[in-house]
Amino acid sequence: MKESERLAIIANAIAAFNESNRELAKQLCEAGLNQFPSDPSLSHLLAAILFAEEDFSGAREKIEKSLAAQPRNAPALILAGKIYRAEHKLEAALMQLEKAASLEVRLEIFVEKARIFDQMGNKSAARDAWSMVLNAKPTSLEALNRLSSLAREGGALVEAEQLLERAVALEDHPKIWFELALVRHDLQNLVGAAEAYQRVLEMNADAPEAAVNLGVVLQEAGRMDEAMAAFSTAYALDASTFGVIAMALTSAPCGRLWLDEEVLRQSLVSGATALGPKSLAVDARC
């Protein structure tokens, strides 16, 4: 009778958790543990609930209790790794994941290990781990984005561009396009960078940084009227971009020297096309 009651509590708690009714699931787990204090399944499920609520110390207590009863439970070991990582106990987290990997081969283990190496700042290990994730799941956006960042930081710009192009093909997202634009700019692919920044602005009209960067790229390409239009857009979105815009215009080899700050502000407000022949702007061509 007790065994059937225990199994019923577990089943009801799991059903409540899967239905996103955490409070009911939590109550069922706590009530079940009052009757069956050493039950590993209830402790595991309660740990998962507490982890979702960001009660990491409470989650750790419960998952350790579960593992004390079932030390070779791979899902519990993975959850323990996640909890320890959240508490910045990174070595302990890796230890739990290594134990889990010795029992089962799961993509989730490699993802968690890669995240831990990222937190540790171990770029070499992180790169290897994310590469394993990407090999196992070529559509992993997280792996593509992290590997592209690591490649860019390491100066492997062509690799970073290729990874970001794969990522943007999977998810047409402004953040990915922005990163792709940065890499293309680093590669001096001004046309490609401009296209990427324009795509960011098409998807998110409120993106002053993208508009400023677009202006810089167009300016470097010698397309000054278009650059001024982009700068005008940025200034309209956020007036605090004025300093960056002024610096870009006056410091670049191909730009414009402004003799009066107020004239520049007025020009940005009215748009590049409003610049007349009597403007105090002076082309500084290469």
Side-chain angles (χ1 to χ4, degrees):
M1 181 67 178
K2 279 191 174 182
E3 178 62 11
S4 62
E5 186 179 353
R6 183 185 73 85
L7 293 174
I9 293 171
I10 293 171
N12 290 335
I14 291 173
F17 183 77
N18 290 339
E19 292 170 2
S20 300
N21 192 340
R22 288 182 193 164
E23 191 55 37
L24 176 57
K26 188 175 180 180
Q27 292 171 1
L28 288 166
C29 287
E30 289 171 344
L33 286 169
N34 285 334
Q35 297 181 60
F36 310 100
S38 61
D39 186 85
S41 298
L42 289 169
S43 292
H44 183 171
L45 183 55
L46 185 53
I49 295 166
L50 295 172
F51 178 66
E53 294 178 346
E54 298 187 359
D55 178 0
F56 301 133
S57 61
R60 173 168 39 82
E61 178 188 347
K62 295 304 177 185
I63 201 61
E64 287 176 351
K65 188 174 181 181
S66 177
L67 285 169
Q70 285 186 341
R72 292 177 59 79
N73 184 303
L77 288 165
I78 294 170
L79 178 57
K82 291 180 179 180
I83 293 167
Y84 288 138
R85 181 171 69 84
E87 292 188 304
H88 304 286
K89 299 177 179 179
L90 303 182
E91 294 292 348
L94 278 177
M95 188 179 300
Q96 300 303 313
L97 293 169
E98 292 293 350
K99 289 179 183 177
S102 70
L103 299 170
E104 292 184 21
V105 177
R106 289 192 180 201
L107 179 62
E108 188 179 12
I109 296 171
F110 296 112
V111 171
E112 280 301 310
K113 288 177 69 175
R115 290 169 178 166
I116 290 169
F117 290 134
D118 273 336
Q119 281 185 240
M120 287 179 165
N122 188 337
K123 293 182 180 180
S124 177
R127 188 180 300 107
D128 290 344
W130 284 120
S131 294
M132 292 180 70
V133 172
L134 191 60
N135 286 337
K137 186 180 179 183
T139 58
S140 171
L141 280 170
E142 186 177 6
L144 286 166
N145 287 324
R146 285 302 302 136
L147 285 169
S148 68
S149 294
L150 290 166
R152 187 182 180 211
E153 290 168 16
L157 298 178
V158 172
E159 179 186 351
E161 181 183 30
Q162 291 170 345
L163 289 163
L164 286 166
E165 285 173 346
R166 287 175 61 183
V168 84
L170 291 169
E171 182 177 0
D172 193 23
H173 194 281
K175 185 176 184 298
I176 305 174
W177 277 108
F178 188 88
E179 293 298 321
L180 180 56
L182 291 174
V183 171
R184 286 177 172 173
H185 195 181
D186 289 342
L187 286 166
Q188 287 301 296
N189 177 0
L190 301 180
V191 173
E195 289 174 351
Y197 282 129
Q198 286 165 343
R199 182 61 185 141
V200 173
L201 290 165
E202 287 171 6
M203 300 177 74
N204 179 16
D206 187 15
E209 187 178 1
V212 170
N213 289 3
L214 174 59
V216 170
V217 168
L218 292 170
Q219 179 177 320
E220 289 182 18
R223 296 155 62 180
M224 282 307 304
D225 287 344
E226 293 173 79
M228 286 302 299
F231 287 141
S232 294
T233 297
Y235 186 69
L237 290 171
D238 184 355
S240 70
T241 59
F242 178 79
V244 178
I245 293 168
M247 184 177 295
L249 283 167
T250 58
S251 63
C254 298
R256 288 177 176 176
L257 303 178
W258 295 87
L259 305 181
D260 188 319
E261 179 181 299
E262 188 55 36
V263 171
L264 174 55
R265 288 185 184 275
Q266 292 172 5
S267 299
L268 291 171
V269 169
S270 52
T273 55
L275 293 177
K278 295 183 180 180
S279 168
L280 295 182
V282 181
D283 279 341
R285 302 293 179 183
C286 298

